[in-house]
Amino acid sequence: MLRPKEVVQLWVAAFNAGDADAIAALYHADAVNHQVSNAPVTGRAAIRQMFTEEFSSAKMVCITENLFEDGQWAILEWRDPLGLRGCGFFQVVNEKILFQRGYWDKLSFLKQHGLPIE
């Protein structure tokens, strides 16, 4: 049985591969992904679509700085090669992500990738 920390390690690998299908497969059908700079995204299909769009707009890389586990929760502190930093909290139930919340600086991300500022 996969521990929450191990599920997040699979998530990082799928993220770095830009594989929206592999990353979506790690979520419960009714999961919620809430990146606090955006509205929450609910459901595996919507989460897959979110990652498909994000992966097509920018090359993103997640470098694990720290990965902690406490019960159903895995906590990921990350950085990217451009200097952006953030953290994510993943609630993992029965080897699938049920809830995820991420904190990062959206303005810095948009500037680094030359994307339009909202």
Side-chain angles (χ1 to χ4, degrees):
M1 181 146 181
L2 293 174
R3 294 174 29 213
K5 190 174 179 177
E6 294 167 325
V7 172
V8 172
Q9 289 168 330
L10 294 173
W11 184 94
V12 169
F15 183 92
N16 287 339
D19 189 337
D21 290 330
I23 211 166
L26 296 170
Y27 289 85
H28 280 268
D30 59 349
V32 174
N33 182 318
H34 185 198
Q35 302 303 302
V36 297
S37 57
N38 301 320
V41 177
T42 302
R44 183 184 300 132
I47 291 169
R48 177 186 295 113
Q49 182 62 34
M50 175 190 74
F51 281 111
T52 298
E53 291 169 9
E54 289 179 354
F55 292 150
S56 70
S57 70
K59 171 64 178 154
M60 297 180 291
V61 176
C62 177
I63 301 166
T64 300
E65 294 238 312
N66 288 295
L67 182 55
F68 303 98
E69 182 179 289
D70 184 16
Q72 293 182 334
W73 291 87
I75 302 104
L76 171 68
E77 181 186 18
W78 57 266
R79 65 180 171 86
D80 75 4
L82 302 176
L84 187 67
R85 293 183 173 277
C87 60
F89 296 81
F90 299 77
Q91 182 184 22
V92 178
V93 177
N94 297 324
E95 302 182 352
K96 299 282 185 192
I97 300 163
L98 182 60
F99 181 79
Q100 177 185 357
R101 180 174 289 127
Y103 297 90
W104 47 278
D105 181 355
K106 186 173 185 176
L107 181 59
S108 294
F109 174 83
L110 293 172
K111 286 178 177 179
Q112 288 173 337
H113 291 280
L115 296 170
I117 296 173
E118 299 169 354

